[in-house]
Amino acid sequence: MKLTVVAATGGIGRHLVGQAVAAGHHVTAVARGPRDMPAGVRVVAVDLTRPDMRALASAVRGADAVLSALGPRNPRADAGITSQGTRAIVTAMHAENVRRLVIVSAAPVGPVPVPGQPTAPRHDPGDGFFMRYLGTPLTHAMFGRHYADLAAAEQILRDSGLEWTVSRPPKLTDKPLTGRYRTALNRNIRGGFSVPRADVAHHMLAVIDQPETIKQVIGIAS
């Protein structure tokens, strides 16, 4: 397949590029300053804080899927980049008639809206007592602007008309790829406190060809 990876030099992005190349895909890497990419990877420099839409459109042109690992380097200082960048990616994909998009969000974002339900549940159905009353409130107190931005990015996808999937991991680690992780549609993973970045990338690549994940939020954890 032809895949475009956005934020290709980040923690998850590097794994996406490496695993996609190893699987034999044709990869275009998009980043502010793409460097040290594997041989054969097409590189397109785009700063998603000030996106060059012509360059971004060229990066997604002809792609079977776009995978975005976009997120702030400093969640407290750089909040806003994910929704801004996601909006630019969606615009570029519409311009080039590319349909499939998979992005990374985060487990503490909150309950997933359910069609036909006037109000979202107060708590994520996958969260246990600790996460509901201590873990999630604490992370929101520390990084509330960041999670609000991720929620805005998810809403951009819901409004996009694209074939999107959102991956919501908890705490990310740099442990090696295991290929063993738990997933759940539209809810967090009970007792899932962390997951390797490499496993998140592995799952993002896997869902590209899983139609049942289209327009779904997927919790993932070890």
Short mmCIF file of all heavy atoms in Angstrom, two decimals, residues 112-158:
data_model
loop_
_atom_site.label_atom_id
_atom_site.label_comp_id
_atom_site.label_asym_id
_atom_site.label_seq_id
_atom_site.Cartn_x
_atom_site.Cartn_y
_atom_site.Cartn_z
N VAL A 112 -16.94 8.63 24.66
CA VAL A 112 -17.17 8.77 23.23
C VAL A 112 -18.65 9.07 22.99
O VAL A 112 -19.52 8.38 23.53
CB VAL A 112 -16.77 7.48 22.49
CG1 VAL A 112 -17.12 7.56 21.03
CG2 VAL A 112 -15.29 7.22 22.68
N PRO A 113 -18.97 10.10 22.19
CA PRO A 113 -20.37 10.37 21.88
C PRO A 113 -21.02 9.17 21.19
O PRO A 113 -20.41 8.53 20.34
CB PRO A 113 -20.29 11.57 20.93
CG PRO A 113 -18.97 12.19 21.20
CD PRO A 113 -18.06 11.07 21.58
N VAL A 114 -22.25 8.89 21.55
CA VAL A 114 -22.99 7.79 20.95
C VAL A 114 -24.13 8.38 20.12
O VAL A 114 -24.92 9.18 20.63
CB VAL A 114 -23.57 6.85 22.04
CG1 VAL A 114 -24.39 5.74 21.41
CG2 VAL A 114 -22.44 6.28 22.88
N PRO A 115 -24.24 8.01 18.83
CA PRO A 115 -25.32 8.56 18.00
C PRO A 115 -26.69 8.31 18.62
O PRO A 115 -26.98 7.21 19.09
CB PRO A 115 -25.16 7.79 16.68
CG PRO A 115 -23.73 7.38 16.65
CD PRO A 115 -23.36 7.11 18.08
N GLY A 116 -27.51 9.34 18.66
CA GLY A 116 -28.86 9.21 19.19
C GLY A 116 -28.95 9.38 20.69
O GLY A 116 -30.04 9.39 21.26
N GLN A 117 -27.79 9.50 21.36
CA GLN A 117 -27.80 9.68 22.82
C GLN A 117 -27.62 11.17 23.11
O GLN A 117 -26.59 11.75 22.75
CB GLN A 117 -26.66 8.87 23.44
CG GLN A 117 -26.65 8.92 24.97
CD GLN A 117 -25.62 7.96 25.55
OE1 GLN A 117 -25.59 6.79 25.19
NE2 GLN A 117 -24.78 8.45 26.42
N PRO A 118 -28.58 11.82 23.73
CA PRO A 118 -28.52 13.27 23.90
C PRO A 118 -27.35 13.74 24.74
O PRO A 118 -26.79 14.80 24.50
CB PRO A 118 -29.86 13.61 24.58
CG PRO A 118 -30.34 12.32 25.17
CD PRO A 118 -29.81 11.24 24.28
N THR A 119 -26.99 12.95 25.75
CA THR A 119 -25.84 13.33 26.57
C THR A 119 -24.88 12.16 26.68
O THR A 119 -25.29 11.03 26.85
CB THR A 119 -26.29 13.70 27.98
OG1 THR A 119 -27.56 13.23 28.25
CG2 THR A 119 -26.13 15.12 28.28
N ALA A 120 -23.59 12.48 26.57
CA ALA A 120 -22.56 11.43 26.69
C ALA A 120 -22.52 10.95 28.14
O ALA A 120 -22.87 11.69 29.06
CB ALA A 120 -21.20 11.98 26.29
N PRO A 121 -22.14 9.68 28.37
CA PRO A 121 -22.02 9.21 29.76
C PRO A 121 -21.00 10.04 30.53
O PRO A 121 -20.09 10.64 29.95
CB PRO A 121 -21.54 7.76 29.60
CG PRO A 121 -20.99 7.68 28.22
CD PRO A 121 -21.74 8.66 27.40
N ARG A 122 -21.16 10.11 31.82
CA ARG A 122 -20.27 10.94 32.63
C ARG A 122 -18.85 10.39 32.64
O ARG A 122 -17.88 11.15 32.65
CB ARG A 122 -20.82 11.00 34.06
CG ARG A 122 -20.00 11.91 34.96
CD ARG A 122 -20.60 11.97 36.36
NE ARG A 122 -19.78 12.75 37.25
CZ ARG A 122 -19.97 12.85 38.56
NH1 ARG A 122 -20.99 12.21 39.12
NH2 ARG A 122 -19.17 13.58 39.31
N HIS A 123 -18.72 9.07 32.64
CA HIS A 123 -17.41 8.43 32.70
C HIS A 123 -17.24 7.48 31.53
O HIS A 123 -18.21 6.92 31.03
CB HIS A 123 -17.24 7.65 34.01
CG HIS A 123 -17.39 8.48 35.25
ND1 HIS A 123 -16.46 9.41 35.64
CD2 HIS A 123 -18.38 8.51 36.19
CE1 HIS A 123 -16.86 9.98 36.77
NE2 HIS A 123 -18.02 9.45 37.11
N ASP A 124 -15.99 7.28 31.13
CA ASP A 124 -15.71 6.27 30.12
C ASP A 124 -16.07 4.90 30.69
O ASP A 124 -15.66 4.55 31.80
CB ASP A 124 -14.23 6.31 29.73
CG ASP A 124 -13.92 5.40 28.56
OD1 ASP A 124 -13.94 4.16 28.75
OD2 ASP A 124 -13.65 5.90 27.47
N PRO A 125 -16.86 4.10 29.95
CA PRO A 125 -17.30 2.80 30.49
C PRO A 125 -16.16 1.82 30.75
O PRO A 125 -16.35 0.84 31.48
CB PRO A 125 -18.24 2.26 29.41
CG PRO A 125 -17.89 3.01 28.17
CD PRO A 125 -17.43 4.36 28.62
N GLY A 126 -14.98 2.08 30.18
CA GLY A 126 -13.85 1.18 30.43
C GLY A 126 -13.03 1.54 31.64
O GLY A 126 -12.14 0.78 32.05
N ASP A 127 -13.28 2.71 32.23
CA ASP A 127 -12.49 3.15 33.37
C ASP A 127 -13.01 2.57 34.67
O ASP A 127 -14.22 2.56 34.93
CB ASP A 127 -12.50 4.69 33.48
CG ASP A 127 -11.65 5.35 32.42
OD1 ASP A 127 -10.84 4.65 31.78
OD2 ASP A 127 -11.80 6.57 32.23
N GLY A 128 -12.08 2.09 35.50
CA GLY A 128 -12.44 1.61 36.83
C GLY A 128 -12.51 2.77 37.82
O GLY A 128 -12.37 3.94 37.48
N PHE A 129 -12.71 2.43 39.10
CA PHE A 129 -12.88 3.44 40.14
C PHE A 129 -11.69 4.39 40.21
O PHE A 129 -11.87 5.61 40.29
CB PHE A 129 -13.08 2.74 41.49
CG PHE A 129 -13.29 3.69 42.64
CD1 PHE A 129 -14.57 4.15 42.95
CD2 PHE A 129 -12.22 4.15 43.39
CE1 PHE A 129 -14.78 5.03 44.00
CE2 PHE A 129 -12.41 5.04 44.44
CZ PHE A 129 -13.69 5.49 44.75
N PHE A 130 -10.47 3.86 40.19
CA PHE A 130 -9.28 4.70 40.31
C PHE A 130 -9.21 5.73 39.20
O PHE A 130 -8.99 6.91 39.44
CB PHE A 130 -8.02 3.82 40.31
CG PHE A 130 -6.74 4.62 40.28
CD1 PHE A 130 -6.21 5.15 41.44
CD2 PHE A 130 -6.08 4.86 39.07
CE1 PHE A 130 -5.05 5.91 41.41
CE2 PHE A 130 -4.93 5.61 39.02
CZ PHE A 130 -4.40 6.13 40.20
N MET A 131 -9.40 5.27 37.95
CA MET A 131 -9.30 6.19 36.82
C MET A 131 -10.43 7.21 36.84
O MET A 131 -10.21 8.39 36.53
CB MET A 131 -9.31 5.41 35.51
CG MET A 131 -8.03 4.64 35.25
SD MET A 131 -6.55 5.70 35.28
CE MET A 131 -6.89 6.80 33.91
N ARG A 132 -11.62 6.80 37.22
CA ARG A 132 -12.76 7.72 37.20
C ARG A 132 -12.60 8.85 38.20
O ARG A 132 -12.90 10.02 37.90
CB ARG A 132 -14.05 6.96 37.50
CG ARG A 132 -14.51 6.06 36.37
CD ARG A 132 -15.86 5.44 36.69
NE ARG A 132 -16.29 4.58 35.58
CZ ARG A 132 -17.49 4.04 35.49
NH1 ARG A 132 -18.38 4.26 36.46
NH2 ARG A 132 -17.81 3.29 34.47
N TYR A 133 -12.13 8.52 39.40
CA TYR A 133 -12.18 9.50 40.48
C TYR A 133 -10.81 10.05 40.90
O TYR A 133 -10.76 10.97 41.71
CB TYR A 133 -12.88 8.88 41.70
CG TYR A 133 -14.30 8.51 41.37
CD1 TYR A 133 -14.66 7.18 41.18
CD2 TYR A 133 -15.27 9.49 41.20
CE1 TYR A 133 -15.97 6.83 40.84
CE2 TYR A 133 -16.58 9.15 40.88
CZ TYR A 133 -16.92 7.82 40.70
OH TYR A 133 -18.22 7.49 40.36
N LEU A 134 -9.73 9.51 40.33
CA LEU A 134 -8.41 10.03 40.67
C LEU A 134 -7.55 10.23 39.43
O LEU A 134 -7.08 11.34 39.16
CB LEU A 134 -7.69 9.08 41.65
CG LEU A 134 -6.33 9.58 42.15
CD1 LEU A 134 -6.48 10.91 42.88
CD2 LEU A 134 -5.68 8.54 43.07
N GLY A 135 -7.35 9.17 38.65
CA GLY A 135 -6.42 9.25 37.51
C GLY A 135 -6.83 10.27 36.46
O GLY A 135 -6.05 11.17 36.11
N THR A 136 -8.06 10.16 35.96
CA THR A 136 -8.51 11.08 34.90
C THR A 136 -8.63 12.52 35.39
O THR A 136 -8.16 13.44 34.71
CB THR A 136 -9.84 10.59 34.31
OG1 THR A 136 -9.63 9.30 33.70
CG2 THR A 136 -10.35 11.56 33.25
N PRO A 137 -9.24 12.78 36.57
CA PRO A 137 -9.27 14.17 37.04
C PRO A 137 -7.88 14.78 37.22
O PRO A 137 -7.68 15.96 36.93
CB PRO A 137 -10.01 14.07 38.38
CG PRO A 137 -10.86 12.85 38.24
CD PRO A 137 -10.04 11.90 37.43
N LEU A 138 -6.92 13.97 37.69
CA LEU A 138 -5.56 14.48 37.88
C LEU A 138 -4.91 14.84 36.55
O LEU A 138 -4.31 15.92 36.41
CB LEU A 138 -4.72 13.44 38.62
CG LEU A 138 -3.25 13.83 38.89
CD1 LEU A 138 -3.20 15.08 39.77
CD2 LEU A 138 -2.52 12.67 39.56
N THR A 139 -5.03 13.96 35.57
CA THR A 139 -4.41 14.25 34.28
C THR A 139 -5.08 15.45 33.61
O THR A 139 -4.42 16.25 32.95
CB THR A 139 -4.47 13.03 33.34
OG1 THR A 139 -5.83 12.60 33.18
CG2 THR A 139 -3.63 11.89 33.88
N HIS A 140 -6.38 15.60 33.78
CA HIS A 140 -7.06 16.75 33.19
C HIS A 140 -6.66 18.04 33.89
O HIS A 140 -6.56 19.09 33.24
CB HIS A 140 -8.58 16.56 33.25
CG HIS A 140 -9.12 15.81 32.09
ND1 HIS A 140 -9.52 16.42 30.93
CD2 HIS A 140 -9.32 14.47 31.89
CE1 HIS A 140 -9.94 15.51 30.06
NE2 HIS A 140 -9.83 14.32 30.62
N ALA A 141 -6.40 17.96 35.19
CA ALA A 141 -5.94 19.15 35.90
C ALA A 141 -4.57 19.59 35.39
O ALA A 141 -4.27 20.78 35.30
CB ALA A 141 -5.90 18.87 37.40
N MET A 142 -3.74 18.62 35.06
CA MET A 142 -2.38 18.93 34.61
C MET A 142 -2.33 19.29 33.12
O MET A 142 -1.58 20.18 32.73
CB MET A 142 -1.46 17.72 34.87
CG MET A 142 -1.28 17.39 36.34
SD MET A 142 -0.31 15.88 36.57
CE MET A 142 1.28 16.36 35.89
N PHE A 143 -3.11 18.59 32.30
CA PHE A 143 -2.99 18.74 30.85
C PHE A 143 -4.35 19.00 30.19
O PHE A 143 -4.60 18.53 29.08
CB PHE A 143 -2.36 17.47 30.24
CG PHE A 143 -1.05 17.09 30.85
CD1 PHE A 143 -0.93 15.94 31.61
CD2 PHE A 143 0.07 17.88 30.67
CE1 PHE A 143 0.29 15.58 32.17
CE2 PHE A 143 1.30 17.54 31.23
CZ PHE A 143 1.40 16.39 31.99
N GLY A 144 -5.21 19.73 30.87
CA GLY A 144 -6.56 19.92 30.37
C GLY A 144 -6.63 20.52 28.98
O GLY A 144 -7.44 20.09 28.14
N ARG A 145 -5.79 21.52 28.68
CA ARG A 145 -5.82 22.15 27.36
C ARG A 145 -5.43 21.14 26.27
O ARG A 145 -5.97 21.17 25.16
CB ARG A 145 -4.86 23.34 27.32
CG ARG A 145 -5.34 24.54 28.12
CD ARG A 145 -4.34 25.68 28.06
NE ARG A 145 -4.11 26.10 26.68
CZ ARG A 145 -2.90 26.43 26.20
NH1 ARG A 145 -1.83 26.36 26.97
NH2 ARG A 145 -2.78 26.83 24.95
N HIS A 146 -4.48 20.26 26.60
CA HIS A 146 -4.05 19.24 25.63
C HIS A 146 -5.19 18.28 25.31
O HIS A 146 -5.46 18.01 24.13
CB HIS A 146 -2.86 18.49 26.21
CG HIS A 146 -2.46 17.27 25.44
ND1 HIS A 146 -2.22 17.29 24.08
CD2 HIS A 146 -2.25 15.98 25.82
CE1 HIS A 146 -1.89 16.08 23.66
NE2 HIS A 146 -1.91 15.27 24.70
N TYR A 147 -5.90 17.81 26.32
CA TYR A 147 -6.99 16.86 26.07
C TYR A 147 -8.16 17.54 25.37
O TYR A 147 -8.86 16.91 24.56
CB TYR A 147 -7.42 16.19 27.37
CG TYR A 147 -6.33 15.31 27.94
CD1 TYR A 147 -5.87 15.48 29.23
CD2 TYR A 147 -5.72 14.34 27.15
CE1 TYR A 147 -4.84 14.70 29.74
CE2 TYR A 147 -4.69 13.56 27.65
CZ TYR A 147 -4.26 13.74 28.95
OH TYR A 147 -3.23 12.97 29.44
N ALA A 148 -8.40 18.81 25.68
CA ALA A 148 -9.44 19.54 24.97
C ALA A 148 -9.09 19.66 23.48
O ALA A 148 -9.97 19.57 22.61
CB ALA A 148 -9.62 20.93 25.58
N ASP A 149 -7.81 19.83 23.19
CA ASP A 149 -7.38 19.91 21.80
C ASP A 149 -7.54 18.57 21.09
O ASP A 149 -7.97 18.51 19.93
CB ASP A 149 -5.92 20.35 21.74
CG ASP A 149 -5.42 20.57 20.33
OD1 ASP A 149 -6.10 21.30 19.58
OD2 ASP A 149 -4.39 19.99 19.96
N LEU A 150 -7.24 17.48 21.80
CA LEU A 150 -7.44 16.15 21.21
C LEU A 150 -8.92 15.89 20.95
O LEU A 150 -9.30 15.32 19.92
CB LEU A 150 -6.87 15.07 22.12
CG LEU A 150 -5.35 15.04 22.30
CD1 LEU A 150 -4.95 13.93 23.27
CD2 LEU A 150 -4.64 14.85 20.97
N ALA A 151 -9.77 16.31 21.88
CA ALA A 151 -11.21 16.16 21.68
C ALA A 151 -11.67 16.95 20.46
O ALA A 151 -12.51 16.49 19.68
CB ALA A 151 -11.96 16.62 22.93
N ALA A 152 -11.10 18.14 20.28
CA ALA A 152 -11.44 18.95 19.10
C ALA A 152 -10.99 18.26 17.82
O ALA A 152 -11.71 18.27 16.81
CB ALA A 152 -10.79 20.33 19.21
N ALA A 153 -9.81 17.64 17.85
CA ALA A 153 -9.32 16.90 16.68
C ALA A 153 -10.24 15.73 16.35
O ALA A 153 -10.55 15.48 15.17
CB ALA A 153 -7.89 16.40 16.94
N GLU A 154 -10.71 15.02 17.37
CA GLU A 154 -11.63 13.91 17.14
C GLU A 154 -12.93 14.41 16.52
O GLU A 154 -13.50 13.76 15.64
CB GLU A 154 -11.92 13.18 18.45
CG GLU A 154 -10.72 12.40 19.00
CD GLU A 154 -11.09 11.56 20.20
OE1 GLU A 154 -12.30 11.41 20.48
OE2 GLU A 154 -10.17 11.05 20.88
N GLN A 155 -13.40 15.57 16.96
CA GLN A 155 -14.64 16.10 16.41
C GLN A 155 -14.46 16.51 14.94
O GLN A 155 -15.37 16.36 14.13
CB GLN A 155 -15.12 17.31 17.22
CG GLN A 155 -16.52 17.78 16.83
CD GLN A 155 -17.57 16.69 16.99
OE1 GLN A 155 -17.62 16.01 18.02
NE2 GLN A 155 -18.40 16.49 15.97
N ILE A 156 -13.28 17.01 14.61
CA ILE A 156 -12.99 17.34 13.21
C ILE A 156 -13.15 16.09 12.35
O ILE A 156 -13.70 16.14 11.24
CB ILE A 156 -11.57 17.92 13.08
CG1 ILE A 156 -11.53 19.33 13.68
CG2 ILE A 156 -11.11 17.96 11.62
CD1 ILE A 156 -10.13 19.88 13.88
N LEU A 157 -12.70 14.95 12.86
CA LEU A 157 -12.86 13.69 12.10
C LEU A 157 -14.33 13.32 11.97
O LEU A 157 -14.78 12.93 10.89
CB LEU A 157 -12.11 12.55 12.79
CG LEU A 157 -10.59 12.67 12.89
CD1 LEU A 157 -10.00 11.32 13.27
CD2 LEU A 157 -9.98 13.14 11.60
N ARG A 158 -15.09 13.45 13.04
CA ARG A 158 -16.51 13.09 12.99
C ARG A 158 -17.26 13.93 11.95
O ARG A 158 -18.22 13.47 11.34
CB ARG A 158 -17.16 13.25 14.36
CG ARG A 158 -16.66 12.26 15.39
CD ARG A 158 -17.44 12.35 16.69
NE ARG A 158 -16.85 11.48 17.69
CZ ARG A 158 -16.00 11.88 18.62
NH1 ARG A 158 -15.64 13.15 18.71
NH2 ARG A 158 -15.48 11.02 19.47
#
